[in-house]
CSV table of all heavy atoms in Angstrom, one decimal:
chain,number,residue,atom,x,y,z
A,1,MET,N,-15.9,-9.8,2.8
A,1,MET,CA,-15.0,-9.7,1.7
A,1,MET,C,-15.7,-9.9,0.4
A,1,MET,O,-15.4,-9.3,-0.6
A,1,MET,CB,-13.9,-10.8,1.8
A,1,MET,CG,-12.8,-10.8,0.7
A,1,MET,SD,-11.4,-11.5,1.3
A,1,MET,CE,-11.2,-12.8,0.0
A,2,ALA,N,-16.8,-10.8,0.4
A,2,ALA,CA,-17.5,-11.1,-0.9
A,2,ALA,C,-18.3,-9.7,-1.3
A,2,ALA,O,-18.3,-9.5,-2.4
A,2,ALA,CB,-18.7,-12.1,-0.6
A,3,ASP,N,-18.7,-9.0,-0.3
A,3,ASP,CA,-19.3,-7.7,-0.6
A,3,ASP,C,-18.2,-6.7,-1.5
A,3,ASP,O,-18.6,-6.1,-2.4
A,3,ASP,CB,-19.8,-6.9,0.5
A,3,ASP,CG,-21.0,-7.5,1.2
A,3,ASP,OD1,-21.7,-8.3,0.4
A,3,ASP,OD2,-21.3,-7.4,2.4
A,4,ASP,N,-17.1,-6.8,-1.0
A,4,ASP,CA,-15.9,-6.0,-1.6
A,4,ASP,C,-15.7,-6.4,-3.0
A,4,ASP,O,-15.5,-5.6,-3.9
A,4,ASP,CB,-14.7,-6.0,-0.8
A,4,ASP,CG,-14.8,-5.3,0.6
A,4,ASP,OD1,-15.7,-4.4,0.7
A,4,ASP,OD2,-14.2,-5.7,1.5
A,5,VAL,N,-15.8,-7.7,-3.2
A,5,VAL,CA,-15.6,-8.2,-4.6
A,5,VAL,C,-16.7,-7.8,-5.5
A,5,VAL,O,-16.4,-7.3,-6.6
A,5,VAL,CB,-15.4,-9.7,-4.5
A,5,VAL,CG1,-15.4,-10.4,-6.0
A,5,VAL,CG2,-14.1,-10.2,-3.9
A,6,LEU,N,-17.9,-7.8,-5.0
A,6,LEU,CA,-19.1,-7.4,-5.7
A,6,LEU,C,-18.9,-6.0,-6.1
A,6,LEU,O,-19.2,-5.5,-7.2
A,6,LEU,CB,-20.4,-7.6,-4.9
A,6,LEU,CG,-20.8,-9.1,-4.8
A,6,LEU,CD1,-22.0,-9.2,-3.9
A,6,LEU,CD2,-20.9,-9.8,-6.2
A,7,ILE,N,-18.4,-5.1,-5.2
A,7,ILE,CA,-18.2,-3.7,-5.4
A,7,ILE,C,-17.2,-3.5,-6.6
A,7,ILE,O,-17.4,-2.7,-7.5
A,7,ILE,CB,-17.8,-2.9,-4.1
A,7,ILE,CG1,-18.9,-2.9,-3.1
A,7,ILE,CG2,-17.2,-1.5,-4.5
A,7,ILE,CD1,-18.5,-2.4,-1.8
A,8,LEU,N,-16.2,-4.2,-6.5
A,8,LEU,CA,-15.1,-4.1,-7.5
A,8,LEU,C,-15.7,-4.6,-8.9
A,8,LEU,O,-15.3,-4.0,-9.9
A,8,LEU,CB,-13.8,-4.9,-7.2
A,8,LEU,CG,-13.0,-4.4,-5.9
A,8,LEU,CD1,-11.9,-5.5,-5.6
A,8,LEU,CD2,-12.3,-3.1,-6.3
A,9,GLU,N,-16.4,-5.6,-9.0
A,9,GLU,CA,-17.0,-6.1,-10.1
A,9,GLU,C,-17.9,-5.1,-10.8
A,9,GLU,O,-18.1,-4.9,-12.0
A,9,GLU,CB,-17.6,-7.5,-9.9
A,9,GLU,CG,-16.8,-8.6,-9.7
A,9,GLU,CD,-17.4,-9.9,-9.6
A,9,GLU,OE1,-18.7,-9.9,-9.3
A,9,GLU,OE2,-16.8,-11.0,-9.8
A,10,SER,N,-18.7,-4.3,-9.9
A,10,SER,CA,-19.6,-3.4,-10.4
A,10,SER,C,-18.9,-2.0,-11.0
A,10,SER,O,-19.5,-1.2,-11.6
A,10,SER,CB,-20.5,-2.9,-9.3
A,10,SER,OG,-19.9,-2.1,-8.3
A,11,MET,N,-17.6,-1.9,-10.6
A,11,MET,CA,-16.9,-0.7,-11.2
A,11,MET,C,-16.6,-0.8,-12.6
A,11,MET,O,-16.3,-1.9,-13.1
A,11,MET,CB,-15.6,-0.6,-10.3
A,11,MET,CG,-15.8,-0.3,-8.9
A,11,MET,SD,-14.3,-0.4,-7.9
A,11,MET,CE,-13.4,1.1,-8.5
A,12,SER,N,-16.6,0.3,-13.3
A,12,SER,CA,-16.2,0.4,-14.7
A,12,SER,C,-14.7,0.1,-14.8
A,12,SER,O,-13.8,0.2,-13.8
A,12,SER,CB,-16.4,1.7,-15.2
A,12,SER,OG,-15.6,2.7,-14.8
A,13,LEU,N,-14.2,-0.3,-16.1
A,13,LEU,CA,-12.9,-0.5,-16.4
A,13,LEU,C,-12.0,0.8,-16.0
A,13,LEU,O,-11.0,0.7,-15.4
A,13,LEU,CB,-12.7,-0.9,-17.8
A,13,LEU,CG,-11.3,-1.1,-18.2
A,13,LEU,CD1,-10.7,-2.2,-17.4
A,13,LEU,CD2,-11.2,-1.4,-19.8
A,14,SER,N,-12.5,2.0,-16.3
A,14,SER,CA,-11.7,3.2,-16.0
A,14,SER,C,-11.6,3.4,-14.6
A,14,SER,O,-10.6,3.8,-14.1
A,14,SER,CB,-12.4,4.4,-16.7
A,14,SER,OG,-13.6,4.6,-16.2
A,15,GLU,N,-12.7,3.1,-13.8
A,15,GLU,CA,-12.6,3.2,-12.4
A,15,GLU,C,-11.5,2.3,-11.8
A,15,GLU,O,-10.7,2.7,-10.8
A,15,GLU,CB,-14.0,3.0,-11.7
A,15,GLU,CG,-15.0,4.1,-12.0
A,15,GLU,CD,-16.4,3.7,-11.5
A,15,GLU,OE1,-16.7,2.5,-11.7
A,15,GLU,OE2,-17.0,4.6,-10.8
A,16,ARG,N,-11.6,1.0,-12.3
A,16,ARG,CA,-10.6,0.0,-11.7
A,16,ARG,C,-9.2,0.4,-12.1
A,16,ARG,O,-8.3,0.3,-11.4
A,16,ARG,CB,-11.0,-1.3,-12.3
A,16,ARG,CG,-12.3,-1.9,-11.7
A,16,ARG,CD,-12.5,-3.4,-12.0
A,16,ARG,NE,-12.3,-3.8,-13.3
A,16,ARG,CZ,-13.3,-3.9,-14.3
A,16,ARG,NH1,-14.4,-3.4,-14.0
A,16,ARG,NH2,-12.8,-4.2,-15.6
A,17,CYS,N,-9.0,0.9,-13.3
A,17,CYS,CA,-7.7,1.3,-13.8
A,17,CYS,C,-7.2,2.5,-13.0
A,17,CYS,O,-6.0,2.6,-12.5
A,17,CYS,CB,-7.6,1.7,-15.3
A,17,CYS,SG,-7.9,0.3,-16.3
A,18,HIS,N,-8.1,3.4,-12.6
A,18,HIS,CA,-7.7,4.6,-11.8
A,18,HIS,C,-7.3,4.1,-10.3
A,18,HIS,O,-6.3,4.5,-9.8
A,18,HIS,CB,-8.9,5.6,-11.7
A,18,HIS,CG,-8.6,6.7,-10.9
A,18,HIS,ND1,-7.8,7.7,-11.2
A,18,HIS,CD2,-9.0,7.0,-9.6
A,18,HIS,CE1,-7.7,8.7,-10.2
A,18,HIS,NE2,-8.5,8.2,-9.2
A,19,MET,N,-8.1,3.3,-9.8
A,19,MET,CA,-7.8,2.7,-8.5
A,19,MET,C,-6.4,1.9,-8.5
A,19,MET,O,-5.7,2.2,-7.6
A,19,MET,CB,-8.9,1.7,-8.0
A,19,MET,CG,-8.6,1.3,-6.6
A,19,MET,SD,-10.0,0.3,-5.9
A,19,MET,CE,-10.2,-1.0,-7.0
A,20,GLY,N,-6.2,1.3,-9.5
A,20,GLY,CA,-4.9,0.5,-9.7
A,20,GLY,C,-3.7,1.5,-9.8
A,20,GLY,O,-2.7,1.4,-9.1
A,21,ALA,N,-3.9,2.6,-10.5
A,21,ALA,CA,-2.9,3.6,-10.8
A,21,ALA,C,-2.6,4.3,-9.4
A,21,ALA,O,-1.4,4.5,-9.0
A,21,ALA,CB,-3.3,4.6,-11.7
A,22,GLU,N,-3.7,4.6,-8.6
A,22,GLU,CA,-3.4,5.2,-7.3
A,22,GLU,C,-2.8,4.3,-6.3
A,22,GLU,O,-2.0,4.7,-5.5
A,22,GLU,CB,-4.8,5.7,-6.8
A,22,GLU,CG,-5.5,6.8,-7.5
A,22,GLU,CD,-4.7,8.0,-7.3
A,22,GLU,OE1,-4.3,8.4,-6.3
A,22,GLU,OE2,-4.6,8.7,-8.4
A,23,GLY,N,-3.1,3.0,-6.4
A,23,GLY,CA,-2.4,2.1,-5.6
A,23,GLY,C,-1.0,2.0,-5.9
A,23,GLY,O,-0.2,1.8,-5.0
A,24,ARG,N,-0.5,1.9,-7.1
A,24,ARG,CA,0.7,2.0,-7.5
A,24,ARG,C,1.6,3.2,-6.9
A,24,ARG,O,2.7,3.1,-6.5
A,24,ARG,CB,0.9,1.9,-9.1
A,24,ARG,CG,0.8,0.5,-9.6
A,24,ARG,CD,0.9,0.5,-11.0
A,24,ARG,NE,0.2,-0.6,-11.7
A,24,ARG,CZ,-1.1,-0.6,-12.1
A,24,ARG,NH1,-1.7,0.6,-12.1
A,24,ARG,NH2,-1.7,-1.7,-12.6
A,25,VAL,N,0.9,4.4,-7.1
A,25,VAL,CA,1.5,5.6,-6.6
A,25,VAL,C,1.8,5.5,-5.1
A,25,VAL,O,2.9,5.8,-4.5
A,25,VAL,CB,0.6,6.8,-6.9
A,25,VAL,CG1,1.1,8.0,-6.1
A,25,VAL,CG2,0.6,7.2,-8.4
A,26,TRP,N,0.7,5.0,-4.3
A,26,TRP,CA,0.9,4.7,-2.9
A,26,TRP,C,2.0,3.8,-2.6
A,26,TRP,O,2.9,4.1,-1.7
A,26,TRP,CB,-0.4,4.3,-2.3
A,26,TRP,CG,-0.2,4.1,-0.8
A,26,TRP,CD1,-0.4,5.0,0.2
A,26,TRP,CD2,0.1,2.8,-0.2
A,26,TRP,NE1,-0.2,4.4,1.4
A,26,TRP,CE2,0.2,3.0,1.2
A,26,TRP,CE3,0.3,1.5,-0.7
A,26,TRP,CZ2,0.4,2.0,2.1
A,26,TRP,CZ3,0.7,0.6,0.3
A,26,TRP,CH2,0.8,0.8,1.6
A,27,LEU,N,2.0,2.7,-3.3
A,27,LEU,CA,3.0,1.6,-3.1
A,27,LEU,C,4.4,2.2,-3.3
A,27,LEU,O,5.3,1.9,-2.4
A,27,LEU,CB,2.8,0.4,-4.0
A,27,LEU,CG,3.7,-0.8,-3.8
A,27,LEU,CD1,3.4,-1.4,-2.4
A,27,LEU,CD2,3.5,-1.8,-4.9
A,28,LEU,N,4.7,2.9,-4.4
A,28,LEU,CA,6.0,3.4,-4.5
A,28,LEU,C,6.4,4.5,-3.6
A,28,LEU,O,7.6,4.6,-3.2
A,28,LEU,CB,6.1,4.0,-5.9
A,28,LEU,CG,5.9,2.9,-7.2
A,28,LEU,CD1,5.8,3.7,-8.5
A,28,LEU,CD2,7.0,2.1,-7.1
A,29,SER,N,5.5,5.3,-3.1
A,29,SER,CA,5.8,6.3,-2.1
A,29,SER,C,5.9,5.7,-0.6
A,29,SER,O,6.7,6.2,0.1
A,29,SER,CB,4.8,7.4,-2.1
A,29,SER,OG,3.6,7.0,-1.6
A,30,GLU,N,5.2,4.7,-0.3
A,30,GLU,CA,5.1,4.2,1.0
A,30,GLU,C,6.0,2.9,1.3
A,30,GLU,O,6.3,2.7,2.4
A,30,GLU,CB,3.7,3.9,1.5
A,30,GLU,CG,2.8,5.2,1.4
A,30,GLU,CD,3.2,6.2,2.4
A,30,GLU,OE1,3.6,5.9,3.6
A,30,GLU,OE2,3.1,7.4,2.1
A,31,CYS,N,6.2,2.2,0.2
A,31,CYS,CA,6.9,0.9,0.4
A,31,CYS,C,8.2,0.7,-0.4
A,31,CYS,O,8.6,-0.3,-0.8
A,31,CYS,CB,6.0,-0.2,0.0
A,31,CYS,SG,4.4,-0.1,0.9
A,32,SER,N,8.8,1.9,-0.6
A,32,SER,CA,10.1,1.9,-1.3
A,32,SER,C,11.1,1.2,-0.3
A,32,SER,O,11.2,1.2,0.8
A,32,SER,CB,10.6,3.3,-1.7
A,32,SER,OG,11.0,3.9,-0.5
A,33,PRO,N,12.2,0.6,-1.0
A,33,PRO,CA,13.2,-0.1,-0.1
A,33,PRO,C,13.9,1.0,0.8
A,33,PRO,O,14.2,0.7,2.0
A,33,PRO,CB,14.2,-0.6,-1.1
A,33,PRO,CG,13.4,-0.9,-2.3
A,33,PRO,CD,12.3,0.1,-2.3
A,34,ALA,N,14.1,2.2,0.3
A,34,ALA,CA,14.8,3.2,1.2
A,34,ALA,C,13.8,3.5,2.4
A,34,ALA,O,14.4,3.7,3.5
A,34,ALA,CB,15.0,4.5,0.3
A,35,ARG,N,12.5,3.7,2.1
A,35,ARG,CA,11.6,4.0,3.2
A,35,ARG,C,11.6,2.9,4.2
A,35,ARG,O,11.6,3.1,5.4
A,35,ARG,CB,10.3,4.4,2.7
A,35,ARG,CG,9.4,4.9,3.8
A,35,ARG,CD,8.0,5.4,3.2
A,35,ARG,NE,7.2,5.8,4.3
A,35,ARG,CZ,6.7,6.9,4.3
A,35,ARG,NH1,6.8,7.9,3.5
A,35,ARG,NH2,5.9,7.2,5.4
A,36,TRP,N,11.5,1.6,3.7
A,36,TRP,CA,11.5,0.4,4.6
A,36,TRP,C,12.7,0.4,5.4
A,36,TRP,O,12.6,0.1,6.7
A,36,TRP,CB,11.4,-0.8,3.8
A,36,TRP,CG,11.2,-2.0,4.6
A,36,TRP,CD1,10.0,-2.5,5.1
A,36,TRP,CD2,12.2,-2.9,5.0
A,36,TRP,NE1,10.3,-3.7,5.9
A,36,TRP,CE2,11.7,-3.9,5.8
A,36,TRP,CE3,13.6,-2.9,4.9
A,36,TRP,CZ2,12.4,-5.0,6.5
A,36,TRP,CZ3,14.4,-3.9,5.5
A,36,TRP,CH2,13.8,-4.9,6.3
A,37,LYS,N,13.9,0.6,4.9
A,37,LYS,CA,15.2,0.6,5.6
A,37,LYS,C,15.1,1.7,6.7
A,37,LYS,O,15.6,1.4,7.7
A,37,LYS,CB,16.3,0.7,4.7
A,37,LYS,CG,16.6,-0.4,3.8
A,37,LYS,CD,17.7,-0.1,2.8
A,37,LYS,CE,18.0,-1.3,1.9
A,37,LYS,NZ,19.0,-0.9,1.0
A,38,ALA,N,14.6,2.8,6.5
A,38,ALA,CA,14.7,3.9,7.3
A,38,ALA,C,13.7,3.5,8.6
A,38,ALA,O,14.0,3.8,9.7
A,38,ALA,CB,14.2,5.2,6.7
A,39,SER,N,12.5,3.0,8.3
A,39,SER,CA,11.5,2.6,9.4
A,39,SER,C,12.1,1.5,10.1
A,39,SER,O,12.0,1.5,11.4
A,39,SER,CB,10.3,2.1,8.6
A,39,SER,OG,9.6,3.2,8.0
A,40,PHE,N,12.8,0.5,9.5
A,40,PHE,CA,13.4,-0.6,10.2
A,40,PHE,C,14.5,0.0,11.1
A,40,PHE,O,14.7,-0.5,12.3
A,40,PHE,CB,14.0,-1.7,9.2
A,40,PHE,CG,14.4,-2.9,9.9
A,40,PHE,CD1,13.4,-3.8,10.4
A,40,PHE,CD2,15.7,-3.2,10.0
A,40,PHE,CE1,13.9,-5.0,11.1
A,40,PHE,CE2,16.2,-4.4,10.5
A,40,PHE,CZ,15.1,-5.3,11.1
A,41,GLY,N,15.3,0.9,10.6
A,41,GLY,CA,16.3,1.5,11.4
A,41,GLY,C,15.8,2.2,12.6
A,41,GLY,O,16.4,2.1,13.7
A,42,GLU,N,14.6,2.9,12.5
A,42,GLU,CA,14.0,3.5,13.7
A,42,GLU,C,13.6,2.5,14.6
A,42,GLU,O,13.7,2.6,15.9
A,42,GLU,CB,12.8,4.3,13.1
A,42,GLU,CG,13.2,5.5,12.3
A,42,GLU,CD,12.0,6.2,11.8
A,42,GLU,OE1,10.9,5.8,12.1
A,42,GLU,OE2,12.2,7.1,10.9
A,43,VAL,N,13.0,1.3,14.2
A,43,VAL,CA,12.6,0.2,15.2
A,43,VAL,C,13.9,-0.3,15.8
A,43,VAL,O,13.8,-0.4,17.2
A,43,VAL,CB,11.9,-0.8,14.4
A,43,VAL,CG1,11.7,-2.0,15.3
A,43,VAL,CG2,10.6,-0.4,13.9
A,44,LEU,N,15.0,-0.5,15.2
A,44,LEU,CA,16.0,-1.1,15.8
A,44,LEU,C,16.7,-0.1,16.8
A,44,LEU,O,17.1,-0.5,17.9
A,44,LEU,CB,17.1,-1.4,14.8
A,44,LEU,CG,17.0,-2.6,13.9
A,44,LEU,CD1,18.0,-2.7,12.9
A,44,LEU,CD2,16.8,-3.8,14.8
A,45,ALA,N,16.7,1.2,16.5
A,45,ALA,CA,17.2,2.2,17.3
A,45,ALA,C,16.4,2.3,18.6
A,45,ALA,O,17.0,2.3,19.7
A,45,ALA,CB,17.2,3.6,16.7
A,46,GLY,N,15.1,2.1,18.6
A,46,GLY,CA,14.2,2.1,19.7
A,46,GLY,C,14.5,0.9,20.6
A,46,GLY,O,14.5,0.9,21.9
A,47,ILE,N,14.8,-0.3,20.0
A,47,ILE,CA,15.1,-1.5,20.7
A,47,ILE,C,16.5,-1.3,21.5
A,47,ILE,O,16.6,-1.7,22.6
A,47,ILE,CB,15.1,-2.7,19.8
A,47,ILE,CG1,13.7,-3.0,19.3
A,47,ILE,CG2,15.6,-3.9,20.6
A,47,ILE,CD1,13.6,-4.0,18.2
A,48,VAL,N,17.3,-0.8,20.7
A,48,VAL,CA,18.7,-0.6,21.2
A,48,VAL,C,18.7,0.4,22.4
A,48,VAL,O,19.5,0.1,23.5
A,48,VAL,CB,19.8,-0.3,20.2
A,48,VAL,CG1,21.0,0.2,20.8
A,48,VAL,CG2,19.9,-1.3,19.2
A,49,ALA,N,17.8,1.4,22.4
A,49,ALA,CA,17.8,2.5,23.3
A,49,ALA,C,17.2,1.9,24.7
A,49,ALA,O,17.4,2.5,25.7
A,49,ALA,CB,17.1,3.6,22.8
A,50,ARG,N,16.6,0.8,24.6
A,50,ARG,CA,15.9,0.3,25.9
A,50,ARG,C,16.8,-0.2,27.0
A,50,ARG,O,17.7,-0.7,27.1
A,50,ARG,CB,15.0,-0.9,25.5
A,50,ARG,CG,13.7,-0.4,24.9
A,50,ARG,CD,12.8,-1.7,24.7
A,50,ARG,NE,11.7,-1.2,23.8
A,50,ARG,CZ,10.7,-2.0,23.5
A,50,ARG,NH1,10.7,-3.2,23.9
A,50,ARG,NH2,9.7,-1.5,22.8
């Protein structure tokens, strides 16, 4: 983990900002409440089907 911190510290401000922006895009597309509910519903359906 220390190596990862050193890598982040060596990045320029623009690189860190770009990485943060990409992370936000991923978070909004992959972790939205609607998507979480759909995934949870699939898990429950699989349990009920057993």
